[in-house]
Amino acid sequence: MTTESAQQSGRKTEQAGAGTTCLSASRVDLAEDALLELENRVCSHGDTVHYAKHPKIFDTCSGSYLYDRQATPYLDLQMWYSAVNLGYGNKRVNDALKLQIDKLPQLACQYLHKEKIELAALLVDSIEKTFGQKGRVHFNVGGAQAVEDALKLVRKSKGKSKMLAFEGGYHGRTLGASAITSSYRYRESYGEFGDRAEFVPFPYCFRCPYGLKKESCKLYCAQQIERKFEHEYTGWWNPKTGKSEFGAFFIEVIQGTGGYIGMPEGYLEYLARILAERGILLVDDEIQMGFFRTGTLWAAEQFGAKPDIMIFGKALTNGLNPLSCIWAREELISPEKFGPGSTHSTFSSNSLGTATGLEVMKIYAEGDYGKTVKEKGSYFLTLLSDLQRKHPEIGDVGGYGLALRMEMCQADGYTPSRELADKMFQIGLDGDLSLNDRKIGLILDIGGYYKNVVTLAPSLEITYEEMDLAHDLLDLVITRAKKG
Ligand SMILES: Cc1ncc(COP(=O)(O)O)c(C=O)c1O
């Protein structure tokens, strides 16, 4: 934004100027260019903002849209990596937060409050109803912190620090979570990871790691996992002692950052049996796919296995005050096994988070998301298939509920094209698409092993008109990206 246009929009502006180090309380709003210049100087680039060539400053949000400082709308098809499932500014959730701000906004987590207990009861009941298992929940703040808590729980109950995890899996970027996240880039510069997980190929059927076809492979990849336990020389198991090196297998039934690829039919049951027979715990990371993203409250319920531990976060509070959580079977997490102080964060079970989480769970209980998300998801998928017919560069489309994928390739429809996906991301973020005489942007997220997959996680409240608009915008973005 130029100084001139900022002034036209009624803002008071000021250039950052060379040597500006901080904002004084009396300082007026900086113009966009000055803010970006300042950010470039004072903010670390170690987070993910500078993945974008031209980072964007947003000002407001509502429903399925973000708005920049010129009030240009951006249709958001990733909703804060699936944290804002119920739409930006959801009134019921926001009101619950506001009420709690006036009632009990702060409370050290060593004391109890009603909302924590009620939320815990709703979560525990829903899991018992779905998976038929009794358990307890344990709160923290961010997703990776909950993953750390799950790691501690496994280490304590199994006495083992080695874990299994999937290639393409993502569990966060703290040190412990990085050790079970497959990307080497996240560990590369940070020394030795003695507890690095053993990474196993995920059943990525479009690009089968064994070059097989789903229709005839007989779950060969799961068979390969079982083979590792055949005898002591395959390295994972001693049949004489009946002991394995591993405490748990951390899974996502649908890989999020890995590109929204799900396990084929029968796979998880097969895997769960292999693990159960060897006393290895199954840890289901629902941080990205939980809370109806896939059309069921928990993604794992569509895949026919009973996890020993579950982890969730993100959409639990619709992206408001962060809250994350682990659930575990009673035998693992009973007070005798996981006593007071086993984990702690000052802000775990913070009262603003629990109050919003409680409202979110009530909304899910009262709504019909099981039906609407699946219906909207299949409609969106037909739109993606239509785009695929038009653009041979879309090698694969797929989805579970409103977790949808579009794999960008070269014209052969198979060779991954990260370049095309990156261009699409930046074109959408530039916010100067024009449709029906309206200036508009598009928020996309890119994932996948080759960083060529557009992973779509729209609001569960997205309308059919907005999905049609998404189709037209994606068409524009792909067409422009292909031109260079
Ligand atoms: C499956 C999964 N696990 C863990 C995490 C880490 O959560 P957080 O970013 O809140 O630390 C994420 C975040 O994207 C995720 O998708």
Side-chain angles (χ1 to χ4, degrees), residues 15 27 94 99 136 162 202 259 262 316 331 408 455 476 481:
Q15 300 294 346
R27 203 176 189 100
N94 282 10
L99 264 180
R136 291 169 188 265
K162 292 288 285 179
F202 188 81
L316 172 56
E331 300 87 278
M408 305 313 297
T455 48
L476 271 180

Side-chain angles (χ1 to χ4, degrees), residues 81 142-145 147 170-173 252 256-257 285 287-288 314:
Y81 319 120
Q145 282 169 292
V147 169
Y170 182 85
H171 302 285
R173 292 195 211 185
E252 297 160 88
T257 307
D285 182 342
I287 289 172
Q288 190 160 159
K314 287 194 196 274

Side-chain angles (χ1 to χ4, degrees), residues 322-341:
L323 192 73
S324 60
C325 196
I326 62 170
W327 169 94
R329 285 194 290 108
E330 179 68 13
E331 300 87 278
L332 303 171
I333 203 171
S334 69
E336 299 73 40
K337 302 266 176 64
F338 207 58

Side-chain angles (χ1 to χ4, degrees), residues 260 377 380-381 384 398-406 454-458:
Y260 286 17
F380 209 137
L381 192 52
L384 297 183
Y400 296 84
L402 281 166
L404 297 144
R405 75 190 308 270
M406 214 168 52
V454 181
T455 48
L456 302 161

